[in-house]
Amino acid sequence: MDGSAPYNPRTVEEVYLDFKGRRAGIVKALTTDVEEFYQQCDPEKENLCLYGFPNEHWEVNLPAEEVPAELPEPALGINFARDGMQEKDWISLVAVHSDAWLLAVAFYFGARFGFDKNDRVRRVGGGVGSRMQEVGRPKIATADTTDAVGHRRNL
Amino acid sequence: MDGSAPYNPRTVEEVYLDFKGRRAGIVKALTTDVEEFYQQCDPEKENLCLYGFPNEHWEVNLPAEEVPAELPEPALGINFARDGMQEKDWISLVAVHSDAWLLAVAFYFGARFGFDKNDRVRRVGGGVGSRMQEVGRPKIATADTTDAVGHRRNL
C-alpha cells in the first residue's frame, strides 16, 4: 500500500497532518470498515497489527520485519484477543492501543522539534513575539491548543 | 523486578506519577547507568527492549510474551542497532523511542478518563467551576498546562 512508503514530516504542521491521516484510517477500520477489519484479524494467523497511514488508509499486517523498526509499532497480536472477548470490548481494546500508537508516532516525529513557546506563538500569532505580548494574547494560544488537542480528544 | 508488577493508575495524578517514575528510570539508564545499559544491549542476544518502571528502575529485557501485551510495548530490538552507529546516535535513537513509549503508556492509561476541561480546571483551581470564572483565570489553567507539559518537554 502506497501509504506505507517512507514518509518524513518535517514541520509541526506536517506531523499533525500525518497524525490526522493515520487517525482517519484507524477510525475507518474501527467504524465503517469494521466487518472487514474483524475478518482480517483472524486468530489463526500470525501476530497481526493495525496500521493507519497518512493517506487515511488502514491495513492489518504483520509487524515490521526490521528491528528496531523505523517508527513506533502498533500493538502486536490484536487478532489473538479477538475471539476471547465481546466484539465491542475487543474493538475498544484495539482503539485504545491505536490511540496510544498514533500519539507515539506523532511524538516520535516531533522529537526533532524544539519547544520554544515563543516561536510557536509567534507563528500562530502572525509575528507576535514578546513575552508580554504572549501573555496579553491568551486567546490565540488557547485557540491553537484547542484546535490541536481537540482532534485528539475525539479519538 | 517489583517495578514490573501489574499497576493500574486510576487518576490523572496517578498516571502522571507512573509516567514520571518510568521516565526517571529511562533517564537513569541513558545517563548515569549508560555503561551498564550499553553492555546489556548485546546485539548477540535476542530482541531486547528498554523498560522503565513506575518505581524509577529500568530493565533491558525481552518483550512481553503474551500478545497483545497488557501495555504498549517499547521499541523492540534496540540491541541490534547498537553496533551499527555511533554510540551517541544510538543512545539518541533509544531516547526518542523511549519518549514515544512513555507517552503511549500514559495515554493508554489515560484513555479511561473523560476530557471535561471544566472538571480539570475545577480541581486545579480549588473549586472554581463556571465558564466565566475559567476564562477569568487563565493563569491557573496556564500554570497547570506548563507544569504538566514542562516535564515532557525536558524528556
Side-chain angles (χ1 to χ4, degrees):
Chain A
M1 185 174 284
D2 57 349
S4 63
Y7 175 67
N8 197 12
R10 297 197 169 279
T11 65
V12 172
E13 287 72 18
E14 283 176 10
V15 171
Y16 177 63
L17 288 176
D18 179 277
F19 169 85
K20 203 173 153 191
R22 291 179 192 272
R23 179 182 171 274
I26 298 277
V27 168
K28 210 180 291 169
L30 301 180
T31 56
T32 51
D33 296 351
V34 71
E35 281 188 41
E36 190 187 338
F37 169 69
Y38 187 91
Q39 294 303 327
Q40 288 193 25
C41 289
D42 183 348
E44 299 298 317
K45 293 185 184 165
E46 289 183 80
N47 280 322
L48 294 173
C49 303
L50 170 60
Y51 291 89
F53 296 118
N55 63 359
E56 307 194 1
H57 283 88
W58 62 270
E59 192 176 83
V60 170
N61 211 338
L62 296 167
E65 281 185 26
E66 199 175 320
V67 292
E70 201 184 351
L71 288 180
E73 282 277 287
L76 183 68
I78 51 172
N79 51 317
F80 298 140
R82 193 191 73 176
D83 292 351
M85 56 207 301
Q86 292 211 347
E87 182 175 341
K88 73 177 173 57
D89 293 337
W90 177 68
I91 296 290
S92 295
L93 179 76
V94 175
V96 172
H97 270 295
S98 298
D99 281 351
W101 174 66
L102 288 168
L103 285 157
V105 171
F107 278 84
Y108 184 84
F109 284 135
R112 71 188 65 175
F113 304 130
F115 287 92
D116 186 331
K117 193 180 174 188
N118 283 332
D119 280 352
R120 179 69 181 144
V121 170
R122 196 175 295 131
R123 278 207 306 281
V124 173
V128 182
S130 78
R131 187 78 191 167
M132 187 176 290
Q133 282 169 309
E134 188 191 322
V135 172
R137 298 174 65 121
K139 283 186 182 174
I140 291 175
T142 305
D144 172 54
T145 307
T146 306
D147 180 52
V149 176
H151 288 274
R152 290 177 194 153
R153 281 179 187 165
N154 294 330
L155 285 172
Chain B
M1 185 174 281
D2 56 349
S4 63
Y7 175 66
N8 196 12
R10 296 197 170 278
T11 64
V12 172
E13 287 71 19
E14 283 177 10
V15 171
Y16 178 64
L17 287 176
D18 179 276
F19 170 84
K20 203 174 154 191
R22 290 178 193 274
R23 179 182 172 273
I26 298 278
V27 168
K28 209 181 290 170
L30 302 180
T31 56
T32 50
D33 296 350
V34 71
E35 282 188 41
E36 190 187 339
F37 168 70
Y38 187 92
Q39 292 306 325
Q40 288 193 26
C41 289
D42 183 349
E44 299 298 318
K45 293 185 186 167
E46 288 184 81
N47 279 323
L48 294 173
C49 302
L50 171 59
Y51 292 88
F53 296 117
N55 63 359
E56 306 194 1
H57 283 87
W58 61 271
E59 191 175 86
V60 169
N61 211 338
L62 295 167
E65 282 186 27
E66 199 175 322
V67 293
E70 200 184 353
L71 288 181
E73 282 277 288
L76 183 69
I78 51 172
N79 50 318
F80 297 139
R82 194 191 72 176
D83 293 351
M85 55 205 303
Q86 292 211 347
E87 182 175 341
K88 74 176 172 59
D89 293 335
W90 177 70
I91 296 290
S92 295
L93 179 76
V94 174
V96 173
H97 270 295
S98 298
D99 281 352
W101 175 67
L102 289 169
L103 285 156
V105 171
F107 279 85
Y108 184 85
F109 283 135
R112 71 186 67 177
F113 304 130
F115 287 92
D116 185 333
K117 193 178 173 188
N118 283 331
D119 281 351
R120 180 69 180 144
V121 170
R122 197 174 296 132
R123 278 208 305 282
V124 173
V128 181
S130 78
R131 189 77 191 167
M132 188 176 291
Q133 281 169 310
E134 189 191 321
V135 172
R137 298 175 65 120
K139 283 186 182 173
I140 291 175
T142 305
D144 172 53
T145 308
T146 306
D147 180 51
V149 176
H151 287 276
R152 291 176 194 153
R153 281 178 188 167
N154 295 328
L155 284 172

